[in-house]
């Protein structure tokens, strides 16, 4: 087992990386929330999802988090009647992405708070390490 403060830094760093990726995926979903297909009847943007997994760091003996998979949400697309739209099918319906803005905003808020919590752990661990070094210097 390594130094507990170094282990805390390792765990928090993995959390920062995972939440950063999650924020990027949420941003992609939000940016493409109204992206339709390019041709008549084609599928629009499909919402992306993020799955996490734990991973044992053999050097430190701590479990860290990592992105297990960036997948696709298989829920149905929404359809709106707009026969003048270039992506309208033969019936006049346009498929829109399966992105729910409320869900994406909630995911973004949760990822942001998790990122901030991991950042606080990093700051606190660095402060404790600095205090320990000062104590060792002055003794």
């Amino acid at each position: 087992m390594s130094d507990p403060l170094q282990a805390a830094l390792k765990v928090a760093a993995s959390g920062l990386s995972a939440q950063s990726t999650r924020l990027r995926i949420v941003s992609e979903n939000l940016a493409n929330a109204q992206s339709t297909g390019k041709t008549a009847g084609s599928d629009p943007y499909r919402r992306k999802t993020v799955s996490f997994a734990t991973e044992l760091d053999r050097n430190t003996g701590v479990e860290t988090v990592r992105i297990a998979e960036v997948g696709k949400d298989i829920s149905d697309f929404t359809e709106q009647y707009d026969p003048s739209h270039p992506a309208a099918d033969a019936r006049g319906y346009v498929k829109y992405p399966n992105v729910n803005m409320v869900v994406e905003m909630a995911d973004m808020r949760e990822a942001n708070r998790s990122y901030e919590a991991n950042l606080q752990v990093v700051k606190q661990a660095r402060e404790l390490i600095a205090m320990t070094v000062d104590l060792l210097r002055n003794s």
Side-chain angles (χ1 to χ4, degrees), residues 79-91:
E79 291 185 339
Q80 291 182 355
Y81 184 73
D82 185 1
S84 64
H85 195 284
D89 62 13
R91 300 173 301 135

Side-chain angles (χ1 to χ4, degrees), residues 21-93:
T21 300
R22 184 178 178 195
L23 281 168
R24 182 183 56 80
I25 296 301
V26 169
S27 296
E28 286 180 23
N29 290 341
L30 288 170
N32 289 294
Q34 295 298 314
S35 299
T36 61
K38 295 184 190 279
T39 59
S42 63
D43 285 344
Y45 174 83
R46 187 170 289 279
R47 177 179 182 262
K48 293 181 181 179
T49 59
V50 177
S51 299
F52 298 109
T54 58
E55 184 174 70
L56 179 65
D57 183 330
R58 295 189 191 280
N59 294 332
T60 59
V62 298
E63 287 193 11
T64 59
V65 66
R66 67 175 176 81
I67 300 295
E69 178 184 20
V70 176
K72 301 271 186 175
D73 183 347
I74 59 169
S75 63
D76 293 334
F77 298 119
T78 59
E79 291 185 339
Q80 291 182 355
Y81 184 73
D82 185 1
S84 64
H85 195 284
D89 62 13
R91 300 173 301 135
Y93 283 92

Side-chain angles (χ1 to χ4, degrees), residues 94-115:
V94 179
K95 292 180 190 175
Y96 283 93
N98 56 349
V99 176
N100 181 331
M101 299 294 271
V102 174
V103 170
E104 298 305 321
M105 294 303 288
D107 280 352
M108 183 172 58
R109 177 172 280 162
E110 183 181 339
N112 189 43
R113 287 187 177 160
S114 294
Y115 188 91

